[in-house]
Amino acid sequence: LLLGVFSSPFIWALASKAPGPSRVWLAVFLILLFVPSNSQSIRDGLKVSQRVITNAELDIYRYLRLESSADARVLVYPSQQNTSLALVAALSHRTTYYSAETFIRITGEDYEGRRKKAIEFFNNNDPEKRRTLITDSGMDYILLTKEEDERTNLAGINTTQVLTNDKLTLYRIE
């Protein structure tokens, strides 16, 4: 939606330089280019109920932003919230392995492959498969909600709990 709003001056300027009737066709064509990504963003936004981000959550994101390297990668649980929002990436300023489906698709990444590997990571207790994903993907941190942390077994993975609070737990992968 924002892409359409911010691109409209560009579309108008480009269309105004075109001669006569082709001006309208050019404007329609450019607008149609932006509809697929905008409509997907709107549908994704409707899937997730609005929520308030607590100070406890912000503390974890702030830690990632200020205390981790700029190229650190964070693995998040493949929940509906994480696949619909780029919350962790946006607030921590760090790359996530699997979140924000729309952004993964726009960048041309293998969304289905990442989804499958993320689900396998959290549902499979084979440490070797988990270490392979961590190594191949360059994961540095695992971020889980309290509920996700309670049902996730990280045995066999060398992690250190960096921060925890009533909302989130952040593990550094060693």
Side-chain angles (χ1 to χ4, degrees), residues 56 60 144-146 149 161-171:
I60 302 279
L144 302 170
T145 64
K146 277 297 179 197
D149 192 33
Q161 189 181 74
V162 178
L163 286 175
T164 190
N165 56 42
D166 63 329
K167 295 290 184 181
L168 299 170
T169 301
L170 179 66
Y171 296 95

Side-chain angles (χ1 to χ4, degrees), residues 18-79:
S22 57
R23 183 180 311 177
V24 173
W25 290 111
L26 180 61
V28 168
F29 173 74
L30 291 172
I31 289 169
L32 289 175
L33 275 176
F34 297 120
V35 168
S37 63
N38 290 335
S39 62
Q40 183 65 41
S41 297
I42 292 168
R43 283 195 304 270
D44 288 348
L46 294 174
K47 291 179 188 174
V48 178
S49 60
Q50 290 187 358
R51 61 189 289 279
V52 174
I53 300 166
T54 65
N55 285 334
E57 290 171 288
L58 288 174
D59 288 341
I60 302 279
Y61 302 137
R62 188 176 301 112
Y63 174 87
L64 280 167
R65 187 174 64 250
L66 299 175
E67 302 297 330
S68 68
S69 66
D71 61 348
R73 296 189 81 192
V74 182
L75 178 62
V76 295
Y77 195 86
S79 65

Side-chain angles (χ1 to χ4, degrees), residues 8-166:
S8 57
F10 169 75
I11 293 170
W12 180 255
L14 194 59
S16 64
K17 292 180 182 183
S22 57
R23 183 180 311 177
V24 173
W25 290 111
L26 180 61
V28 168
F29 173 74
L30 291 172
I31 289 169
L32 289 175
L33 275 176
F34 297 120
V35 168
S37 63
N38 290 335
S39 62
Q40 183 65 41
S41 297
I42 292 168
R43 283 195 304 270
D44 288 348
L46 294 174
K47 291 179 188 174
V48 178
S49 60
Q50 290 187 358
R51 61 189 289 279
V52 174
I53 300 166
T54 65
N55 285 334
E57 290 171 288
L58 288 174
D59 288 341
I60 302 279
Y61 302 137
R62 188 176 301 112
Y63 174 87
L64 280 167
R65 187 174 64 250
L66 299 175
E67 302 297 330
S68 68
S69 66
D71 61 348
R73 296 189 81 192
V74 182
L75 178 62
V76 295
Y77 195 86
S79 65
Q80 179 61 45
Q81 177 178 310
N82 286 333
T83 58
S84 298
L85 300 174
L87 186 66
V88 176
L91 296 178
S92 70
H93 297 201
R94 297 298 176 260
T95 303
T96 54
Y97 177 72
Y98 177 78
S99 71
E101 174 183 355
T102 302
F103 295 116
I104 291 174
R105 290 187 191 276
I106 287 172
T107 59
E109 298 289 337
D110 177 15
Y111 170 75
E112 291 303 327
R114 283 188 178 201
R115 178 179 174 275
K116 181 181 174 189
K117 287 179 182 178
I119 289 171
E120 186 176 300
F121 179 90
F122 286 103
N123 291 339
N124 187 335
N125 289 328
D126 181 354
E128 190 57 41
K129 285 185 178 181
R130 287 176 159 184
R131 280 192 292 271
T132 299
L133 174 66
I134 289 168
T135 303
D136 291 350
S137 306
M139 288 304 124
D140 299 294
Y141 292 91
I142 299 172
L143 180 63
L144 302 170
T145 64
K146 277 297 179 197
E147 297 79 26
E148 294 161 356
D149 192 33
E150 289 171 2
R151 65 177 179 254
T152 300
N153 178 4
L154 294 178
I157 302 169
N158 192 12
T159 60
T160 302
Q161 189 181 74
V162 178
L163 286 175
T164 190
N165 56 42
D166 63 329

